[in-house]
């Protein structure tokens, strides 16, 4: 924890009693909202976690999951001591060992592999916590120093980020708090009632003030139900819809000529590309009506300010980055960026002056750059990488449950010759395969600093309670491991505060004066961007303009214009496969889980009940499936069992199966990733979880 600066005291919180302390925190989870927390501590025990009432987007409210944080933290299943495997791989049988024994042995094993070929060591981590300190800070430094294989951390957002990068210049966009003044909000590839409740609260307020809300989503989600309109396109057809809208905007003279002339590149070429996308063709590819295309174009052209809340739902298919690029062209065409409440927001992570190379200290990397392993392809990598992966150190992630093509991932982790270390709160599916399982602290027990990807704040998290049992923070364990491996570089002993200070440019004018100190004292700071940052162009692209046409893409051998690329697994691209597996499956997040986190919290598990899949009544009838039947969802990669829900909220030819259960907690021991594949996206090397054809049958 930071020594010199102290968080200013919070005197009370609703529900606190005299003698309680209330501690400022930040939600660590992979969620755009990154809420400001107030943790009430009574006699050393956290009794309540609430949203900070004064924080702009949190506004005193938390989602159900994190409201249950004390239940998760004090769960009888928490890992509290280091453990060593005694059974076979995957059996999940362990004996207790001391930290000294565990870390000495891990250091010796890693050192001996590193002496032969450090690339045979692989760190595997993602966003269990998104903190600068407990996320990549010290872990990456240590693995860089070792010369371990680099991990391409692409499992979530990289295709969309890449699409934005080539179009707007980075993950930049509107201030989420401005959506309250939008008059038209397209909620595109997102179900915020599940995945971003604070944005939903803002959209609801906009609706009360008269805004029109339109959901663009293959599934009639809870969000879509509450919008004025819902466009249920087929998965992987968003670029077609965006091009169809451009076609009409251009044909009907709805373009903001002045904005386009001054702040964009390549309008003529884009117009040419869009000219092929007549309403008829658009409707046919998207599986919607021509009227829907026309009406959406009309609304987008005539209602101001018009804002698009894009999310990651559209970029888990082959044509992912192109789709995001196509949608990201729309606001510039109509000059929507002129208004603070107009434009687009996918991720705002580049609105913060982060300094990633300094944070993870790339200078520690050896002269010859180690190979890179894509985390999406961990199944193939564990089974077939050359040279083989001999050791994997997992933290902040549960790859056995979250990575695609589970059968391969499981076979990989089951290799008896693989040395596996897992830092965790719980004995997850991945933890079952560990040789050493190390107990990690939770957000209530350690210090951290967080930027967000859904708003413009940077927040501090103060530890509220002592670590439970023998739990230790990731940063602490990696510092210790560095010492035991004999590395003397001071960067590997940096304090938590030093890691956080390295993670961004705290002296940037965007952060304001005494930014770090203010953030610690007050709990958060907000980046000082103009209300409408792109009203006068100034995009962070090479040209400073919104790049419809990208010279960079052309130089790199790609299509310089956005296009619709059909799903690899679709009747367009692979009719033979579509004949055998006619149903497209998407596997979006469940409301009461966060990826595979919270799946073991009893109250949340009870709410989600069981692994479910939703199928259209016609598709169900054709297969003799009734509502409530246990069904098997399968393709050539594998299968899983789910409880069928027959409903026309799912469109024909589509199956929706919510993630992400732990394999070991469901009948058949396989979750949705049993059928998803390891193929990568057009750009950004991302996953194609929702580019997945399956068949469904009644389970025997
Ligand atoms: N409760 C909860 N919240 C979460 C998470 C969670 O697991 N649970 N996960 C967090 C994480 S890691 C992330 S990345 C974000 C994800 O945030 P979002 O990307 O907003 O995820 P969802 O809310 O599932 O919304 C995705 C929507 O996209 C739809 N969709 C699927 N395919 C397509 C398509 O091809 N086109 C279009 N237009 N729509 C499509 C799905 O039906 C779904 O409703 O949420 C975060 N928040
Ligand atoms: N089929 C399908 N698969 C998907 C998705 C999908 O939509 N469909 N979504 C994908 C997406 S968007 C994402 S982001 C990935 C998510 O994949 P992951 O980032 O692996 O997310 P989680 O499953 O939540 O696992 C995070 C783990 O980190 C642990 N953890 C949390 N905090 C700490 C800490 O401080 N220290 C340590 N050591 N551990 C900690 C938690 O206990 C948890 O087990 O899954 C992807 N997989
Ligand atoms: S998961 Fe999201 S909505 Fe829930 S508390 Fe964390 S940041 Fe807020
Ligand atoms: Mo994600």
């Amino acid at each position: 924890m930071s020594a010199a600066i102290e968080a200013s005291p919070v005197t009370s919180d609703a529900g606190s009693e005299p003698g309680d302390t209330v501690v400022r925190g930040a939600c660590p989870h992979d969620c755009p909202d990154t809420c400001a927390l107030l943790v009430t501590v009574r006699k050393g025990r956290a009794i309540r976690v609430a949203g900070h009432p004064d924080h702009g987007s949190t506004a005193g409210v938390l989602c159900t999951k994190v409201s249950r944080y004390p239940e998760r933290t004090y769960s009888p299943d928490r890992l509290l001591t280091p453990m060593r495997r005694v059974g076979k791989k995957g059996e999940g049988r362990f004996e207790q060992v001391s930290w000294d024994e565990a870390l000495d042995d891990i250091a010796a094993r890693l050192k001996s592999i590193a002496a032969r070929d450090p690339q045979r060591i692989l760190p595997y981590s993602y966003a269990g916590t998104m903190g600068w300190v407990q996320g990549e800070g010290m872990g990456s430094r240590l693995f860089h120093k070792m010369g371990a294989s680099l991990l391409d951390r692409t499992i979530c957002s990289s295709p969309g980020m890449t699409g934005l990068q080539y179009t707007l210049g980075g993950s930049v966009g509107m201030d989420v708090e401005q959506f309250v003044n939008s008059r038209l909000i397209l909620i595109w590839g997102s179900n915020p009632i599940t995945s971003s409740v604070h944005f939903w609260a803002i959209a609801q307020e906009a609706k009360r003030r008269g805004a029109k809300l339109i959901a663009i989503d293959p599934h009639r989600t809870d969000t879509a139900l509450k919008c004025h309109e819902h466009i249920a396109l087929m998965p992987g057809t968003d670029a077609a819809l965006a091009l169809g809208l451009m076609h009409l905007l251009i044909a009907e003279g709805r373009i903001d000529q002045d904005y386009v002339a001054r702040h964009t590149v390549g309008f003529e070429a884009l117009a040419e590309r869009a000219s092929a996308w007549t309403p008829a063709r658009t409707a046919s590819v998207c599986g919607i009506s021509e009227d829907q295309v026309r009406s959406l174009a009309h609304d987008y052209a005539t209602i101001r300010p018009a804002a698009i809340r894009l999310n990651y739902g559209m970029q888990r298919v082959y044509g992912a980055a192109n789709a995001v690029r196509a949608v990201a062209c729309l606001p510039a065409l109509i000059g929507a960026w002129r208004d603070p409440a107009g434009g687009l927001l996918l991720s705002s992570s580049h609105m913060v002056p982060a300094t990633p190379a300094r944070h993870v200290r790339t200078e520690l990397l050896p002269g010859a750059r180690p190979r890179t392993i894509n985390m999406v392809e961990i199944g193939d990598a564990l089974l077939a990488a050359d040279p083989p992966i001999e050791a994997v150190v997992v933290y902040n992630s549960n790859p056995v449950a979250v990575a695609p093509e589970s059968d391969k991932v499981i076979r990989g982790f089951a290799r008896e010759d693989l040395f596996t270390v897992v830092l965790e709160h719980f004995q997850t599916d991945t933890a079952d395969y560990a040789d050493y399982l190390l107990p990690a602290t939770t957000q209530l027990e350690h210090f951290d600093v967080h930027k967000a990807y859904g708003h413009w704040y940077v927040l501090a998290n103060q530890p509220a309670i002592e670590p439970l049992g023998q739990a230790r923070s990731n940063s602490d364990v990696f510092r210790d491991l560095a010492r035991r491996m004999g590395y003397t570089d001071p960067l590997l002993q940096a304090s938590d505060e030093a890691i956080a200070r390295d993670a961004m440019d705290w002296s940037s004018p965007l952060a304001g004066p005494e930014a770090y100190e203010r953030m610690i004292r007050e709990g958060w700071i907000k980046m000082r961007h103009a209300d409408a940052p792109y009203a006068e162009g100034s995009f962070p692209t090479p040209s400073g303009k919104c790049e419809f046409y990208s010279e960079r893409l052309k130089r790199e051998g790609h299509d310089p214009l956005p296009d619709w690329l059909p799903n690899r697994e679709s009747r367009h691209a692979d009719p033979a496969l579509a004949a055998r597996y006619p149903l497209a499956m998407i596997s979006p997040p469940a409301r009461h889980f966060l990826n595979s986190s919270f799946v073991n919290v009893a109250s949340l598990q009870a709410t989600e009940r069981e692994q479910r899949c939703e199928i259209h009544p016609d598709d169900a009838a054709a297969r003799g499936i009734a509502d409530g039947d246990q069904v098997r969802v399968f393709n050539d990669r594998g299968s899983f069992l789910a409880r069928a829900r027959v409903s026309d909220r799912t469109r024909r030819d589509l199956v929706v199966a919510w993630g992400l259960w732990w394999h070991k907690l469901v009948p058949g021991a396989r979750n949705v990733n049993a059928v998803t594949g390891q193929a990568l996206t057009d750009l950004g090397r991302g996953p194609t979880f929702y580019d997945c054809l399956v068949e469904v049958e009644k389970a025997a």
Side-chain angles (χ1 to χ4, degrees):
M1 185 191 160
S2 60
I5 322 147
E6 289 209 347
S8 37
V10 183
T11 41
S12 72
D13 173 41
S16 68
E17 292 176 3
D20 293 348
T21 46
V22 181
V23 181
R24 294 170 194 276
C27 177
H29 286 294
D30 189 347
C31 168
D33 298 2
T34 309
C35 290
L37 309 179
L38 287 176
V39 183
T40 304
V41 181
R42 185 171 299 165
K43 298 196 177 93
R45 194 179 166 92
I47 55 160
R48 189 175 120 94
V49 177
H52 201 303
D54 302 334
H55 180 255
S57 63
T58 308
V61 182
L62 298 182
C63 64
T64 327
K65 308 176 290 293
V66 174
S67 308
R68 302 282 158 78
Y69 231 67
E71 183 183 347
R72 184 179 188 274
T73 306
Y74 297 106
S75 159
D77 300 336
R78 259 298 288 281
L79 299 172
L80 297 175
T81 57
M83 295 200 287
R84 179 166 55 205
R85 173 166 72 94
V86 291
K88 288 211 310 220
K89 284 268 172 158
E91 272 183 6
R93 292 200 294 123
F94 296 95
E95 63 180 0
Q96 285 187 20
V97 288
S98 69
W99 272 107
D100 277 337
E101 257 182 293
L103 292 182
D104 278 341
D105 195 22
I106 294 166
R109 296 285 295 265
L110 295 181
K111 264 177 79 172
S112 98
I113 299 171
R116 277 182 289 115
D117 179 5
Q119 295 187 101
R120 293 170 186 241
I121 300 169
L122 176 73
Y124 196 100
S125 63
Y126 202 62
T129 164
M130 301 201 74
W132 274 330
V133 180
Q134 305 308 338
E136 283 325 309
M138 192 49 74
S140 288
R141 291 182 186 196
L142 173 60
F143 292 103
H144 286 166
K145 178 71 190 175
M146 259 181 236
S149 284
L150 298 169
L151 184 73
D152 210 1
R153 293 188 172 80
T154 50
I155 204 161
C156 174
S157 59
S158 69
M161 280 180 67
T162 307
L164 286 186
Q165 187 77 41
Y166 285 112
T167 316
L168 305 179
S171 294
V172 298
M174 292 171 60
D175 180 356
V176 73
E177 291 165 68
Q178 295 285 352
F179 277 80
V180 72
N181 295 317
S182 307
R183 303 288 294 177
L184 176 71
I185 304 180
L186 307 187
I187 302 181
W188 200 330
S190 183
N191 179 15
I193 290 186
T194 281
S195 61
S196 181
V197 286
H198 296 82
F199 167 71
W200 181 244
I202 293 170
Q204 289 283 92
E205 177 57 25
K207 190 179 175 190
R208 279 190 288 273
R209 299 185 189 180
K212 180 169 185 179
L213 270 47
I214 303 179
I216 305 175
D217 192 310
H219 187 244
R220 202 185 320 138
T221 60
D222 291 340
T223 302
L225 276 173
K226 294 196 163 68
C227 288
H228 298 96
E229 274 170 35
H230 173 212
I231 297 179
L233 77 188
M234 276 301 282
T237 62
D238 300 276
L241 182 57
L243 287 159
L245 295 179
M246 290 177 203
H247 174 97
L248 286 171
L249 294 172
I250 295 166
E252 294 173 3
R254 306 285 199 174
I255 300 300
D256 183 334
Q257 304 287 357
D258 174 63
Y259 194 91
V260 165
R262 290 195 295 131
H263 305 308
T264 72
V265 177
F267 175 72
E268 301 304 327
L270 183 70
E272 165 76 27
R273 171 74 44 97
S275 65
W277 287 91
T278 59
R281 181 177 177 208
T282 304
S284 153
V285 166
C286 299
I288 57 179
S289 72
E290 279 189 51
D291 280 351
Q292 284 180 302
V293 182
R294 288 185 192 283
S295 141
L296 182 62
H298 181 80
D299 284 343
Y300 194 59
T302 54
I303 307 177
R304 294 292 150 84
I308 301 177
R309 181 61 170 116
L310 208 65
N311 221 315
Y312 290 112
M314 75 162 59
Q315 51 103 69
R316 307 203 189 288
V317 294
Y318 171 58
N322 266 276
V324 169
R325 212 168 119 56
V327 176
C329 291
L330 292 169
L333 283 171
I334 61 160
W337 293 112
R338 291 179 187 276
D339 198 296
L344 169 145
L345 173 63
L346 170 57
S347 161
S348 59
S349 56
H350 293 150
M351 302 304 279
V352 174
T355 48
R358 190 177 68 186
H359 179 216
V360 301
R361 294 292 178 173
T362 44
E363 72 259 38
L364 291 168
L365 281 166
R369 200 179 170 81
R371 70 172 167 192
T372 297
I373 302 277
N374 188 324
M375 69 188 302
V376 175
E377 300 171 312
I378 186 64
D380 281 343
L382 288 175
L383 293 174
D386 183 21
I389 297 169
E390 291 184 28
V392 52
V393 179
V394 180
Y395 55 102
N396 301 339
S397 186
N398 183 10
V400 170
V402 308
E405 207 169 357
S406 307
D407 286 5
K408 284 192 176 171
V409 181
I410 289 170
R411 267 200 290 136
F413 274 98
R415 274 174 42 201
E416 286 291 339
D417 62 339
L418 178 72
F419 178 62
T420 303
V421 178
V422 176
L423 286 68
E424 251 301 347
H425 299 150
F426 294 103
Q427 192 172 333
T428 60
D429 284 335
T430 307
D432 282 344
Y433 291 87
D435 291 281
Y436 280 101
L437 180 50
L438 305 177
T441 46
T442 68
Q443 190 77 343
L444 303 188
E445 298 150 66
H446 56 227
F447 170 75
D448 218 325
V449 176
H450 291 258
K451 74 165 180 179
Y453 60 96
H455 59 59
W456 293 357
Y457 296 86
V458 174
L459 299 88
N461 179 77
Q462 300 297 342
I465 56 172
E466 290 297 316
L468 297 196
Q470 296 179 41
R472 290 173 64 178
S473 70
N474 295 343
S475 60
D476 187 32
V477 170
F478 289 131
R479 277 187 292 256
D480 194 339
L481 206 48
R483 287 193 296 271
R484 287 177 205 249
M485 291 184 76
Y487 299 135
T488 51
D489 198 312
L491 291 173
L492 300 176
Q493 296 305 319
S495 68
D496 288 354
E497 177 178 340
I499 300 170
R501 284 194 185 262
D502 275 350
M504 91 169 219
D505 177 8
W506 296 94
S507 62
S508 160
L510 286 176
E514 294 204 330
Y516 186 86
E517 292 73 12
R518 254 188 315 121
M519 176 212 47
I520 294 289
R521 274 199 306 272
E522 293 162 26
W524 62 79
I525 51 175
K526 187 177 181 183
M527 297 304 114
R528 302 176 174 193
H529 295 282
D531 284 350
Y534 308 108
E536 285 300 324
S538 310
F539 293 99
T541 51
S543 62
K545 300 178 179 195
C546 172
E547 299 195 349
F548 301 148
Y549 183 99
S550 165
E551 279 295 342
R552 274 189 297 172
L553 278 172
K554 188 166 176 227
R555 269 201 312 275
E556 291 161 14
H558 301 289
D559 188 346
L561 291 166
D563 202 358
W564 171 63
L565 306 175
N567 280 4
R568 279 225 184 77
E569 301 196 0
S570 66
R571 66 184 163 87
H572 307 281
D574 192 344
L577 185 72
R580 285 200 295 143
Y581 298 113
L583 301 170
M585 186 191 91
I586 57 174
S587 46
R591 180 162 177 184
H592 299 95
F593 300 154
L594 205 134
N595 301 318
S596 81
S597 297
F598 298 96
V599 175
N600 59 322
V601 174
S603 62
L604 298 171
Q605 194 185 103
T607 315
E608 288 292 337
R609 296 217 306 279
E610 54 191 340
Q611 186 157 269
R612 288 168 297 139
C613 92
E614 197 170 274
I615 182 167
H616 188 273
D618 295 349
D619 291 326
R623 291 164 178 79
I625 293 168
D627 192 53
D629 281 350
Q630 188 77 347
V631 293
R632 194 172 80 94
V633 181
F634 64 99
N635 60 20
D636 290 342
R637 289 178 288 263
S639 69
F640 66 92
L641 298 175
R643 186 70 60 193
R645 199 159 85 183
V646 177
S647 162
D648 68 1
R649 286 177 68 170
T650 294
R651 50 168 301 153
R652 280 200 59 169
D653 305 327
L654 179 73
V655 173
V656 183
W658 290 269
L660 276 170
W661 285 82
W662 291 3
H663 296 298
K664 62 181 166 186
L665 294 180
V666 296
R670 284 293 181 276
N671 74 11
V672 290
N673 279 321
V675 297
T676 57
Q678 296 176 67
L680 302 180
T681 52
D682 53 351
L683 296 166
R685 307 169 309 282
T688 51
F689 290 114
Y690 305 171
D691 188 335
C692 176
L693 286 173
V694 297
E695 183 51 284
V696 180
E697 65 182 13
K698 210 168 148 158

